[in-house]
Amino acid sequence: MEIKKSIITSSLDQEKLNDLSEIINLEAIQQLPKATEHFISDVHGEFEAFDHILRNCSGIIRLKIATLFKDRLTEQEQKELCFNIYYPEDKIVGAKKSQEEWQALLTHLVELTRFVSSKYTRSKVRKAMPSEYAYILEELLYQYDEDNKKADYYQAIFTKIIDLDLAENFAVTLANLIRHFVVDHLHLVGDIYDRGPHPDLIIDSLMQMPSMDFQLGNHDLIWIGAMSGSMACLATVLRITMRYGHLALLEKDYGINISRLAKFAHKHYQPLDAFAPRGVDDSMTQEEKDSINRMHQAISIIQFKLEGHIIKRRPEFKMDHRLQLTQLTDDRQTLHIDGVDYPVIDGCFQNVKEDDPFELSIGEELVMVDLFNQFLRSDRLKRHIDFLVEKGSLYLIHNNNLLFHGCLPCTPEGDFMELEFDGQRYKGKALMDFYTQAIQTAYADPFTHDDLATDLVWYLWCGEGSSLFGKKDMKTFERYFTTDKALHKEAQNSYYKLRNDESFCLKLMQEFGLDGQGYIINGHTPVKAITGENPIKANGKMIVIDGGLATPYQKVTGIAGYTLVDNSHEVYIVSHHPFTSKEDAIQNYYDIIPTQEIVHKRIKRASVKDTDIGRQLGQQAESLKAKYQLN
């Protein structure tokens, strides 16, 4: 062997040998099957439902188990195995099992791990293994003998794992590896925050994922704005939190003391029906509800005043008609809009001055300064928003697909809407890039409150030209204070009609440099499945995956969310039923039985070479070939 090695190295220097080996490796990897991508949108703080979808991978694990164990496990046994994988901490940890039961569970988990990891390189699989079990797992996954010549050897491994009381820990490790290998990459298409109680836990989960991306949603942007110095965004964050009664998120999870706001609100406001918190459980006392009600009023009025400041200093936003506090009559009983008078209900304008309705009182200013400083001092909140800004984007081009949360503002004629800011005009992709830069600039300097970049973050929340809002006006004021439903209607941007047309979608993809072979993925607007609306639009070029994961939307959509799966064989959308609780899911084996609607069935199985990573590997291989003038 030494003679042969010396002959090889004499004819090929070590650098060239390494490069040639790397060419072989790079080109071989490109032939592997494309890894599975998982798309989720509009999770809105619903951590348990989000976590359940991640754990069962939108039903993929169930399908893998059905394929592998179809003739060996009953349906009930397959369910049991599924939930051992979904929730190993609850189903496996502390379980009392016999030697035979542990043997059976470990055997099934090893076999499934081998099955779901088979399309990855050994190097990638090895990197995912915990170091303490790396040797054992490699033996079980890669040295498996189909002829059972090593049956006693494998039996000895399992027996010793059980004898040493490692079965529980080893089984949990295998369950986690299975979930890791079933889905290679997660895309979250916006709106982590608001409505649900635990966006913080969702972000904690995302921060632990080895491969993920997300596109910022409008509800994420107001939290970024709050941490960027936009007092209007901060007030909006607080108003929405009060609206849904999630004080624990502020006080317990982020350490924000709201006592100054509570004292101010108790002094100036009395409970009103329009400001009662929504969706709160029976454990909340009436006194607690009334306190939230008062704070809800106080912060709403502060929000409307702060928004007026932005509108007046930014005429380019063209939002003067949204200066609603100037549309109140002197007695505060009537709202005068476009020559029509509307009676005010549940008015709470006692702190709005007639001569300057947008002036903050000293008390209101102290409340906002206190809350802003607390937001910046919250270490956990700062980590979460840092993560959003660093890892998030307004749009993403990935594997020939275009992902963004809301829309690209358009005119009714189908042209991209052109907007002017600071003397420059933007439309299409350039507008998205301009907004992206504004977010980065604003976040870098949170102590400057009235610059254009910071005001643009607020504009992205509610401006007509926002790619995240996608409507002409936000009618928050009218919804609180009037009963006329016509005033509540928020007209959508023409994009939402245009996206049903395939030619428009192809034009949109071309704007971002795509050839139209992939598809566009949106969230933001709940698909009303209950009325027959289809999430797949424009002959499969547009997919909308907001199906109402957030509980408040489910009465409108009729389901509890869509997710999208893109694997080497096909692209399909999965609809979900409402999720009750983790405990209910575990106790009753509540699982996702995928209701699939195929978006695209591949004639030929997709390979790594068909992906962005594959193209990068190909470029690396070609560069090495050019170095040695290889064909």
Side-chain angles (χ1 to χ4, degrees), residues 201-260:
L201 297 182
I202 294 173
I203 297 179
D204 284 342
S205 177
L206 295 175
M207 292 172 77
Q208 300 302 314
M209 291 184 181
S211 184
M212 62 79 58
D213 61 70
F214 62 89
Q215 292 67 62
L216 297 168
N218 50 320
H219 286 270
D220 307 317
L221 247 293
I222 51 172
W223 283 78
I224 292 173
M227 296 291 282
S228 300
S230 172
M231 292 298 190
C233 285
L234 175 58
T236 304
V237 162
L238 291 160
R239 178 185 62 78
I240 294 174
T241 302
M242 300 300 165
R243 187 176 183 84
Y244 292 94
H246 295 314
L247 297 195
L249 174 65
L250 292 177
E251 297 179 303
K252 180 181 177 181
D253 301 323
Y254 285 142
I256 307 297
N257 185 332
I258 59 172
S259 60
R260 186 184 289 272

Side-chain angles (χ1 to χ4, degrees), residues 120-131:
Y120 300 113
T121 64
R122 185 177 297 191
S123 174
K124 182 167 182 172
V125 174
R126 186 184 299 116
K127 289 176 183 177
M129 295 177 183
S131 57

Side-chain angles (χ1 to χ4, degrees), residues 245-438:
H246 295 314
L247 297 195
L249 174 65
L250 292 177
E251 297 179 303
K252 180 181 177 181
D253 301 323
Y254 285 142
I256 307 297
N257 185 332
I258 59 172
S259 60
R260 186 184 289 272
L261 172 62
K263 290 177 183 177
F264 175 83
H266 193 271
K267 179 180 179 181
H268 293 281
Y269 297 92
Q270 293 298 320
L272 295 171
D273 289 345
F275 294 89
R278 296 182 175 186
V280 295
D281 57 43
D282 296 334
S283 65
M284 186 176 289
T285 67
Q286 188 60 47
E287 184 179 0
E288 290 170 328
K289 292 177 184 177
D290 287 347
S291 178
I292 294 172
N293 191 311
R294 290 184 172 99
M295 288 189 286
H296 189 177
Q297 294 175 60
I299 203 64
S300 296
I301 296 301
I302 291 172
Q303 176 191 320
F304 299 137
K305 289 182 177 183
L306 291 168
E307 289 177 338
H309 295 174
I310 298 174
I311 292 169
K312 289 197 289 184
R313 70 171 169 256
R314 299 293 172 198
E316 64 267 43
F317 289 0
K318 299 179 181 179
M319 296 177 70
D320 284 357
H321 62 291
R322 300 307 298 157
L323 296 170
Q324 300 99 326
L325 292 177
T326 64
Q327 298 167 347
L328 288 166
T329 55
D330 292 344
D331 61 3
R332 302 292 190 262
Q333 299 299 310
T334 305
L335 191 63
H336 188 75
I337 302 175
D338 295 332
V340 180
D341 289 337
Y342 300 91
V344 169
I345 60 161
D346 289 336
C348 50
F349 304 111
Q350 50 267 40
N351 283 330
V352 178
K353 296 173 64 174
E354 287 186 27
D355 57 338
D356 188 358
F358 301 104
E359 181 184 352
L360 291 176
S361 69
I362 295 297
E364 289 171 329
E365 286 189 3
L366 290 174
V367 164
M368 293 307 296
V369 169
D370 172 56
L371 288 167
F372 174 66
N373 288 331
Q374 287 195 66
F375 265 56
L376 290 190
R377 290 197 304 266
S378 171
D379 290 339
R380 188 162 182 247
L381 178 57
K382 181 69 163 56
R383 286 196 304 273
H384 285 176
I385 306 302
D386 281 349
F387 178 75
L388 289 183
V389 175
E390 180 183 355
K391 300 293 185 181
S393 61
L394 286 182
Y395 68 89
L396 178 70
I397 298 168
H398 187 88
N399 290 344
N400 286 324
N401 302 318
L402 176 60
L403 288 66
F404 55 90
H405 178 71
C407 73
L408 191 63
C410 294
T411 68
E413 295 74 30
D415 298 320
F416 300 133
M417 183 184 291
E418 188 173 62
L419 293 101
E420 182 174 335
F421 299 108
D422 203 19
Q424 298 291 320
R425 302 187 71 83
Y426 306 91
K427 64 178 181 178
K429 179 179 178 294
L431 180 64
M432 288 268 218
D433 291 336
F434 171 72
Y435 286 151
T436 298
Q437 184 59 53

